[in-house]
Structures are given as structure tokens and as C-alpha cells.
């Protein structure tokens, strides 16, 4: 088979693909690959834009079943289960994850391995909720990690980049199921920037989308509520998510690519139409939205206090190099965590994400934005495009060398390496 990621910018032909139904089958696949001198890479949903998940030997699909096991507030799930499936199963049990990103197609192992984070100044990414792991190591053994059993591996493997082993099961801290009250408004950009600190402090989850070459932003505020309404009707939901959010947006991207001089007007039009009506729904239905227009993305995490300078630099980069960009810039904030390779490790964080439609040139725009972010100690999202190397990343993460040492101990023959991991983590012994 030919494997390609969701965006289509990464592709390869693995030697073979193994569908593993349990840890035993996955361990057998790893042992067989070792006998043949082949590398192994777990397949998720392909939502990484980097080559982090590219299989250049044996591709394995981690178990997707059986369903979740709930023990009080702890939920243990198969590593190959998607967030979409997990969210629905948790809701049936009266539980939920406290924070989510805006895409639910990822597998739970892919989401934590690359540092999927969501937004909220007092909330942390999904990996910070991990309380246990099971994974197959390079020698084919199955390692269980809890706070009492192999705690040093658990500490690092919560954002493991697929470099330590192949996850087979994940245990997550959950909270009682909750609804969110969503309010979205198109506002002057200057007003959003001026009020962002106060907005982040006053609301559970805040983010905004800025449309390049305009003075407009769409501000999104999501807060926990016990109310049941107002609800979005099916027609309203379809118009917002499908007609405007996907079909209409695809048409705007296509027109902007053909006639770049129209982009400022198109972006102003979309900013005014993008904001959804005020509504209440299950938490995961508010956090996550369908994404059918394919794009390329780069996202950087900067110290929270550097957000203003980072956004100003990004805006200047868009003016110089993003004249035909119709995809909005997304800005989010999260609390610090203690995960060694989390982009929020040890610091409250602001995230700035830039996008272009698939097939459009992105190098100059992304490169200019990256220069701004690197000057502010920015950390690139592990699953999104960037050009950083191990030598450049090491100073950004106090736990970087300890993580690499653990990788070298658990995988001395490089069974789980690939070209991208060699770039961002370094080659053992080099």
C-alpha cells in the first residue's frame, strides 16, 4: 500500500502493514521486524503534517478495541481508538476529557504523542491527563507504566513522539461530563488583542481567529454550564459547519488562489460569516469541528508573555509573504505542565498557528513566521511543519537530554527511528 497523511504532503510505501488486535500481536510484529532488520512505526490517523509518523519499514496499527474500561475517574482505552469514538463512549459513562483540540479524528496515542493541547489559561493539554501507559518496546516486551511502576518512563512517554515504543493502551484522568456555552463574535482585532488577558482569565476556554489582511478577528469563548440551551438546530449546525465552514471556505480558498487581489475582501467576508450563533452542547461537540478542507499548518508555542510581540511579527510576515492567504491564524493559550517534551513544559504558553490550503506555496510565509517565533524561544508543535533540528530544540527543553537518553536505553538499535525523528532528536552516537 501507499501510505499518505491527511494533508497529502507525507507519503511512503511501508514494507507491510500489520493490524494488531492486542499487545501480543503488536509485540509479535515488532519481533518479526527486528529479525528482518526493519524499523517499525505506528500508524495513527495521519493528522501530523511533519514526517513524525512516516513508516519506512513495518507499519503497525495499534489496537482499536475493546472499548474503554472505567475505574472511578480513570479511563483506560486502546491506543488506536480515535478521540471521536472516545468522547462518545466517555459521555455514555457520564465522563469527559477536561480539554480538547478542535479536531477529533486523531487516535488517542497520536494525540498525546505529538502534544495536542486545546485552549484555556488554566487548562493543560491531553498528555497532562495521562495516568498510565502500556507499550511494546523494541525487544518485543510489553511495558506497563503507572505512577508506581516504571514512573520515569511514564513521565517522559506522555509526549513520546513515537520514539520510545508503540503504545497499546492509555489511561486518562477524566472529569464528570459537562456542557459548554459557546459564544462566537466577529470583533475588531485591536479590541481582542487589548482585552485578551482579561478574556482568558474570565472564561474557561478562549481562542481567536485572525483573518490576514483584515482588522477583524473571530473570538470564541466556551464556558462550562448546567444550562441545556440555547441549542443549535440541525439546519443551523449544517450551515455553520458544512456550508460555511467547509464548502464555502473551500470556495473562498480557491477563488483567493486564482485572484489574490480579492483576498482582503474575501477574508473580511468570511470573518463576518464564520462566527456561529450562541449555543450550548456537549463539551466535545463544542471543542471539536469537522475539517474537510485540507491544508498545511505550522504552529509555534511561545511564552505567554511574548504573545503580543509574536503576533505583531506574524502579522508583518503575513503582509510580506502571505498575500494570497485565506486561512485564518489561530491563537490559543494554555497553562504550564510538567511533561518533558510538551510544548507547554514549565511555562504558561500561547500558541500561534498559520495555515495555507493544500497545494499552495507555503515556504516563504511559514519561514518568515518561524523566524519570528524562534527569536522568542518558540517551540514548534511536534506534528506540524517546522525546520528545527535537535541542536536547536535541545536548549528549549530542560528535559531534552534525559528524554534522548531514555530513548537510547529503550531502543538501542533504533527500531522506532525514522528520518524525521533523527532530525528532531538526533542520531544515537552522532
Amino acid at each position: 500500500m501507499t501510505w499518505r497523511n491527511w494533508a497529502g504532503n507525507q507519503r511512503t510505501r511501508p514494507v507491510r502493514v500489520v493490524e494488531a488486535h492486542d499487545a501480543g500481536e503488536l509485540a509479535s510484529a515488532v519481533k518479526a521486524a527486528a529479525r528482518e532488520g526493519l524499523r517499525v512505526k505506528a500508524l495513527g490517523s495521519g493528522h501530523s503534517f511533519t514526517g513524525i509518523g512516516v513508516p519506512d519499514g513495518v507499519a503497525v496499527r495499534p489496537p482499536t478495541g475493546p472499548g474503554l474500561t472505567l475505574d472511578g475517574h480513570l479511563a483506560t482505552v486502546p491506543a488506536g481508538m480515535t478521540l471521536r469514538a472516545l468522547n462518545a463512549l466517555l459521555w455514555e459513562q457520564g465522563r469527559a476529557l477536561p480539554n480538547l483540540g478542535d479536531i477529533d479524528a486523531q487516535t488517542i496515542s497520536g494525540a498525546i504523542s505529538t502534544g495536542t493541547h486545546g485552549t484555556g489559561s488554566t487548562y493543560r493539554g491531553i498528555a497532562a491527563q495521562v495516568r498510565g501507559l502500556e507499550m511494546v518496546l523494541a525487544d518485543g516486551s510489553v511495558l506497563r507504566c503507572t505512577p508506581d511502576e516504571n514512573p520515569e518512563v511514564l513521565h517522559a512517554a506522555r509526549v513520546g513522539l513515537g520514539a520510545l515504543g508503540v503504545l497499546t493502551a492509555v489511561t486518562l484522568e477524566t472529569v464528570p461530563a459537562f456542557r459548554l456555552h459557546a459564544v462566537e463574535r466577529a470583533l475588531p482585532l485591536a479590541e481582542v488583542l487589548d482585552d485578551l488577558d482579561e478574556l482568558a482569565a474570565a472564561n474557561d476556554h478562549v481562542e481567536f481567529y485572525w483573518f490576514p489582511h483584515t482588522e477583524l478577528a473571530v473570538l470564541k469563548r466556551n464556558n462550562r454550564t448546567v444550562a441545556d440551551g440555547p441549542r443549535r438546530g440541525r439546519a443551523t449546525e449544517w450551515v455553520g459547519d458544512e456550508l460555511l465552514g467547509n464548502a464555502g471556505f473551500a470556495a473562498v480558498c480557491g477563488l483567493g488562489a486564482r485572484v489574490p487581489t480579492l483576498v482582503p475582501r474575501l477574508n473580511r467576508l468570511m470573518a463576518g460569516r464564520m462566527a456561529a450563533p450562541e449555543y450550548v452542547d456537549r463539551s466535545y461537540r463544542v471543542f471539536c469541528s469537522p475539517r474537510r478542507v485540507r491544508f498545511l499548518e505550522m504552529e509555534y508555542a511561545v511564552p505567554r508573555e511574548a504573545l503580543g510581540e509574536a503576533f505583531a511579527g506574524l502579522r508583518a510576515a503575513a503582509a510580506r509573504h502571505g498575500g494570497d492567504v485565506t486561512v485564518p491564524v489561530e491563537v490559543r493559550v494554555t497553562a504550564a505542565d510538567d511533561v518533558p517534551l510538551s510544548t507547554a513544559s514549565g511555562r504558561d504558553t500561547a500558541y500561534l498557528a498559520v495555515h495555507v490550503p493544500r497545494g499552495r506555496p507555503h515556504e516563504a510565509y511559514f519561514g518568515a513566521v518561524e523566524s519570528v517565533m524562534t527569536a522568542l524561544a518558540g517551540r514548534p508543535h511536534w506534528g506540524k511543519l517546522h525546520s528545527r533540528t535537535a541542536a536547536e530544540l535541545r536548549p528549549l527543553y530542560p528535559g531534552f537530554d534525559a528524554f534522548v537518553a531514555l530513548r537510547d536505553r529503550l531502543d538501542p538499535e533504533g527500531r522506532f527511528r525514522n528520518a524525521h525523528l533523527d532530525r528532531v532528536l538526533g542520531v544515537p552516537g552522532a
Side-chain angles (χ1 to χ4, degrees), residues 239-324:
V239 169
D241 289 345
E242 298 297 340
L243 182 60
L244 293 176
N246 286 293
F249 185 54
V252 166
C253 290
L255 182 57
R258 291 192 298 273
V259 190
T261 56
L262 291 178
V263 166
R265 278 182 284 172
L266 292 170
N267 284 357
R268 285 193 293 271
L269 176 67
M270 286 302 295
R273 302 290 190 275
M274 180 178 172
E278 179 179 354
Y279 67 99
V280 170
D281 208 336
R282 298 178 183 182
S283 57
Y284 63 91
R285 291 178 177 170
V286 176
F287 282 132
C288 305
S289 302
R291 292 286 184 267
R292 310 197 201 289
V293 179
R294 310 224 173 188
F295 52 81
L296 299 177
E297 180 176 0
M298 181 176 71
E299 181 178 64
Y300 262 83
V302 300
R304 173 73 183 275
E305 61 272 16
L307 173 55
E309 188 176 353
F311 187 82
L314 183 156
R315 194 175 183 191
R320 291 194 308 271
H321 302 287
D324 65 345

Side-chain angles (χ1 to χ4, degrees), residues 12-56:
T12 188
R13 280 184 175 271
V15 174
R16 60 178 174 271
V17 178
V18 178
E19 304 271 353
H21 297 93
D22 55 36
E25 289 186 8
L26 208 155
S28 296
V30 171
K31 290 176 182 177
R35 289 193 295 269
E36 299 173 59
L38 296 173
R39 292 178 176 178
V40 177
K41 188 56 58 182
L43 295 183
S45 300
H47 268 270
S48 289
F49 300 89
T50 66
I52 191 170
V54 173
D56 58 5

Side-chain angles (χ1 to χ4, degrees), residues 173-355:
E173 181 97 25
T174 67
V175 298
F178 61 96
R179 287 182 167 83
L180 285 172
H181 178 203
V183 179
E184 301 180 12
R185 295 286 185 271
L187 296 168
L189 174 64
E191 179 181 330
V192 173
L193 291 173
D194 288 344
D195 296 343
L196 189 59
D197 286 342
E198 290 78 10
L199 287 164
N203 295 275
D204 290 333
H205 306 275
V206 166
E207 63 186 305
F208 75 86
Y209 291 84
W210 170 63
F211 289 76
H213 320 299
T214 79
E215 297 296 330
L216 292 172
V218 172
L219 175 68
K220 302 179 70 173
R221 291 172 288 167
N222 298 328
N223 288 289
R224 282 153 176 73
T225 182
V226 295
D228 287 332
R231 296 287 188 94
R232 285 197 299 176
R234 288 188 178 181
T236 301
E237 184 176 355
W238 180 83
V239 169
D241 289 345
E242 298 297 340
L243 182 60
L244 293 176
N246 286 293
F249 185 54
V252 166
C253 290
L255 182 57
R258 291 192 298 273
V259 190
T261 56
L262 291 178
V263 166
R265 278 182 284 172
L266 292 170
N267 284 357
R268 285 193 293 271
L269 176 67
M270 286 302 295
R273 302 290 190 275
M274 180 178 172
E278 179 179 354
Y279 67 99
V280 170
D281 208 336
R282 298 178 183 182
S283 57
Y284 63 91
R285 291 178 177 170
V286 176
F287 282 132
C288 305
S289 302
R291 292 286 184 267
R292 310 197 201 289
V293 179
R294 310 224 173 188
F295 52 81
L296 299 177
E297 180 176 0
M298 181 176 71
E299 181 178 64
Y300 262 83
V302 300
R304 173 73 183 275
E305 61 272 16
L307 173 55
E309 188 176 353
F311 187 82
L314 183 156
R315 194 175 183 191
R320 291 194 308 271
H321 302 287
D324 65 345
V325 173
T326 48
V327 188
V329 171
E330 184 177 18
V331 178
R332 295 176 282 180
V333 295
T334 65
D337 62 41
D338 67 344
V339 184
L341 290 192
S342 165
T343 47
S345 184
R347 68 191 195 191
D348 291 342
T349 296
Y351 292 91
L352 300 95
V354 294
H355 319 70

Side-chain angles (χ1 to χ4, degrees), residues 153 361 369:
V153 180
V369 171

Side-chain angles (χ1 to χ4, degrees), residues 57-73:
V58 176
V60 295
R61 294 193 185 278
T64 59
L68 68 85
T69 301
L70 200 61
D71 180 10
H73 56 279

Side-chain angles (χ1 to χ4, degrees), residues 366-399:
F366 284 13
V369 171
E370 187 169 53
S371 294
V372 172
M373 302 304 160
T374 56
L376 298 170
R379 297 165 173 168
H381 189 298
W382 295 108
K384 299 178 184 180
L385 293 175
H386 66 91
S387 67
R388 310 306 295 280
T389 65
E392 295 166 324
L393 293 167
R394 179 174 288 107
L396 299 173
Y397 292 93

Side-chain angles (χ1 to χ4, degrees), residues 70-71 73-77 83 86 90 97 108 112 126-132 170-175:
L70 200 61
D71 180 10
H73 56 279
L74 297 178
T76 299
V77 301
L83 288 171
L86 172 59
L90 284 174
L97 295 179
I108 184 59
I112 65 171
I126 299 174
Q129 309 307 317
V130 173
R131 300 293 179 265
V170 179
T171 299
L172 297 157
E173 181 97 25
T174 67
V175 298

